Amino acid sequence: MQLAITHIGKDQQILMTEILSAVSDFNCKVVDLRATQTNSLSVGYLLIEGNWNHLAKFENTLNGLEKRLGIKIQTQRIENAEKPRPDCLPYAVETLAI
């Protein structure tokens, strides 16, 4: 099962750090991540994958993140997601930027 998440806030680094640590805490995986920074706003899109119970627990924490960080988060569950192709390899990317 997959969960699509969009967020709008002020500080991209804090947003991504908080959301990605919550994803890791609930044993979910990031399938796709896109983010952009304008003058005063940060906008991002994440596609998270995991068991239905892990995703449900993760969704429950998003309300707390919204209130604590002063951001807006919208979610949409995706039930019939395609399975990853067997000829693909998972990878991780670490990015450091100004």
Side-chain angles (χ1 to χ4, degrees):
M1 179 179 270
Q2 293 181 332
L3 180 69
I5 302 166
T6 58
H7 64 79
I8 298 174
K10 292 193 181 205
D11 189 355
Q12 183 175 0
Q13 186 173 358
I14 292 173
L15 286 172
M16 286 303 185
T17 302
E18 292 284 336
I19 291 174
L20 292 177
S21 66
V23 168
S24 177
D25 291 344
F26 291 101
N27 298 320
C28 297
K29 296 183 291 185
V30 175
V31 177
D32 192 13
L33 179 128
R34 297 166 195 254
T36 187
Q37 180 79 36
T38 62
N39 289 340
S40 61
L41 286 177
S42 168
V43 179
Y45 162 80
L46 288 96
L47 184 62
I48 309 298
E49 186 174 74
N51 294 335
W52 68 269
N53 58 337
H54 293 155
L55 286 176
K57 290 176 186 176
F58 175 74
E59 276 182 302
N60 290 336
T61 64
L62 292 178
N63 289 335
L65 281 176
E66 241 183 345
K67 291 177 184 172
R68 187 166 45 100
L69 298 175
I71 61 176
K72 296 288 184 190
I73 297 176
Q74 291 186 334
T75 62
Q76 176 68 46
R77 286 189 185 196
I78 303 170
E79 297 287 337
N80 297 327
E82 291 182 25
K83 297 286 183 188
R85 297 186 342 210
D87 59 339
C88 296
L89 295 173
Y91 65 93
V93 176
E94 184 174 333
T95 304
L96 303 173
I98 296 177

